[in-house]
């Protein structure tokens, strides 16, 4: 196992996690992937359904091909949604050189069993567990939502061994970061009611 454990509390890991978009060529080994999946399956799960399943793709050329298939489908999605902020994204996704997986060597696709009513919630909770564990192990991650339209095409799903009854929910690239990633700013929590001032 090659992971470099970083001493941090859960809260420190929450603050340290970033979406990493630049990876070294170092591969993430299978033992490390299994540890990440172990963290994922300890997430809360509605009705104890554990409605998640995982497809692990560790072939850069397959990911490159998937990226090329995903870009036009995602462009269609952006056009359909008519999002005002999508002009810049449309340009980026039209660039033939753009790899939506940032040349990472590992993609973990968290898939939901569509029979379970809260399956998507289960998967996203598993996703955050996985990303925080990765961060504490010195790994970088990034959710690649732009891969979803492609990953839910029946033939593409089948090609990655994802059975028909599962939907791809959370595709996450994993790898070793080239450099530190700056934090993206967050607004202060928008609290809708009054929180009483604590007595000292
Ligand atoms: C549902 C979802 C989809 C996302 N899809 C993408 C994506 O396709 N490509 C990408 O580079 N980042 C993607 N991201 C990462 C966000 O851009 C990122 O989380 C956000 O800018 C905040 O930055 P941070 O994660 O470093 O705090 C996605 C995040 C989420 C939650």
């Amino acid at each position: 196992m090659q992971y470099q454990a970083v001493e941090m509390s859960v809260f420190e890991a929450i603050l340290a996690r970033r979406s990493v978009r630049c990876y070294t060529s170092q591969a993430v080994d299978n033992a490390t992937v299994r540890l990440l999946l172990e963290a994922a399956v300890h997430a809360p799960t509605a009705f104890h359904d554990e409605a998640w399943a995982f497809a692990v793709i560790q072939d850069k050329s397959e990911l490159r091909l998937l990226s090329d298939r995903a870009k036009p489908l995602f462009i269609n999605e952006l056009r359909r949604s008519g999002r005002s902020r999508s002009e810049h994204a449309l340009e980026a996704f039209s660039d033939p050189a753009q790899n939506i997986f940032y040349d990472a060597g590992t993609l973990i696709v968290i898939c939901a069993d569509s029979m379970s009513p809260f399956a998507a919630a289960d998967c996203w909770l598993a996703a955050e567990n996985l990303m925080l564990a990765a961060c504490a192990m010195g790994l970088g991650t990034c959710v690649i939502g732009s891969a979803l339209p492609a990953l839910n095409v029946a033939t593409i799903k089948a090609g990655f061994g994802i059975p028909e009854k599962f939907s791809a929910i959370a595709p996450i690239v994993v790898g070793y970061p080239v450099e530190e990633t700056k934090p993206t700013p967050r607004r202060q929590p928008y609290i809708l009611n009054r929180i009483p001032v604590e007595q000292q």
Side-chain angles (χ1 to χ4, degrees), residues 8-148:
M8 52 173 83
S9 69
V10 172
F11 194 71
E12 285 167 337
I14 289 169
L15 297 186
R17 186 210 54 79
R18 311 270 182 269
S19 288
V20 172
R21 298 186 175 88
C22 200
Y23 295 96
T24 69
S25 57
Q26 186 181 346
V28 178
D29 65 22
N30 288 338
T32 304
V33 169
R34 283 188 183 279
L35 271 179
L36 297 177
L37 301 186
E38 182 74 13
V41 300
H42 281 83
T45 167
F47 304 118
H48 207 138
D49 270 353
E50 301 179 82
W52 41 57
F54 306 87
V56 181
I57 306 160
Q58 285 185 294
D59 180 326
K60 273 193 184 187
S61 50
E62 263 187 60
L63 289 176
R64 181 80 236 189
L65 286 175
L66 179 59
S67 169
D68 291 342
R69 295 189 73 180
K71 285 186 286 186
L73 297 178
F74 188 62
I75 286 175
N76 286 346
E77 198 89 332
L78 285 177
R79 289 216 170 99
R80 249 202 311 271
S81 70
R83 286 199 46 177
S84 55
R85 284 167 62 187
S86 56
E87 269 321 302
H88 173 67
L90 279 176
E91 220 171 275
F93 286 99
S94 305
D95 177 359
Q98 153 100 338
N99 178 345
I100 65 166
F101 303 113
Y102 304 109
D103 288 318
T106 299
L107 176 72
I108 298 176
V109 187
I110 307 184
C111 300
D113 181 338
S114 41
M115 297 306 286
S116 178
F118 291 106
D122 280 11
C123 290
W124 282 115
L125 289 164
E128 181 69 345
N129 263 22
L130 186 156
M131 290 190 284
L132 291 178
C135 176
M137 290 158 67
L139 288 157
T141 56
C142 187
V143 176
I144 309 293
S146 47
L148 280 174

Side-chain angles (χ1 to χ4, degrees), residues 6 18 82 95 101-102 114 123 126 128 150 155 159 164-165 169 172 174 187 198:
V6 182
R18 311 270 182 269
D95 177 359
F101 303 113
Y102 304 109
S114 41
C123 290
E128 181 69 345
T155 50
E164 192 53 48
K165 73 166 190 159
I169 300 290
I172 301 170
V174 185
R187 291 191 288 266
E198 273 167 24

